Amino acid sequence: MLKKVNRLAKAKDIQQAFARGRTFFNPFFTVKFISNLDAPRFTIVVSTKVFKKAVFRNRLKRIIREYLRKNLANFKKGHYMIMAKPKINKLSEADALKNFLDLCSKLK
């Protein structure tokens, strides 16, 4: 679990990141980033179009959050909105994380 300081939870902040954020993407993830003076803050979105069952949606979120928690120092200050795309449901967890790591290398 991310610390409260590193969670992007307010609807206003999420909408701002979605509307004005710079977009990075690959076939499996989209990341919206908006620079800010705060600590890096993250929100992860996995819709029902990606996985119908909540168990799988939550599992993917936990995997991504754990990577983010361990590597917070490597991210620039700002707000990050991480969205999974429906193609990801065909991948294994290891492949999904590998694709997320590839996308994170673009962000740094």
Side-chain angles (χ1 to χ4, degrees), residues 8-9 14 19 22 30 40 50 57 60 71 78 84 87 90 100:
L8 187 62
I14 293 171
R22 186 168 173 212
T30 301
V50 177
R57 292 193 304 268
L60 181 61
N71 297 294
K87 277 188 174 182
K90 307 235 187 302
F100 181 68

Side-chain angles (χ1 to χ4, degrees), residues 13-86:
D13 292 338
I14 293 171
Q15 288 173 352
Q16 184 181 26
F18 186 75
R20 292 194 274 153
R22 186 168 173 212
T23 305
F24 299 90
F25 62 91
N26 67 17
F28 306 104
F29 290 99
T30 301
V31 176
K32 296 275 192 164
F33 169 73
I34 189 165
S35 183
N36 199 338
L37 298 176
D38 297 341
R41 297 173 65 199
F42 301 92
T43 190
I44 303 166
V45 179
V46 182
S47 74
T48 55
K49 291 180 183 179
V50 177
F51 291 112
K52 297 294 181 199
K53 294 190 176 188
V55 172
F56 299 117
R57 292 193 304 268
N58 294 336
R59 173 83 178 145
L60 181 61
K61 289 183 207 178
R62 281 194 303 271
I63 291 169
I64 293 170
R65 273 192 214 113
E66 184 62 19
Y67 172 77
L68 295 173
R69 186 183 65 80
K70 289 181 178 178
N71 297 294
L72 273 176
N74 298 334
F75 287 93
K76 296 177 187 175
K77 293 181 179 182
H79 297 169
Y80 294 85
M81 183 175 183
I82 302 163
M83 298 172 282
K85 294 183 180 179

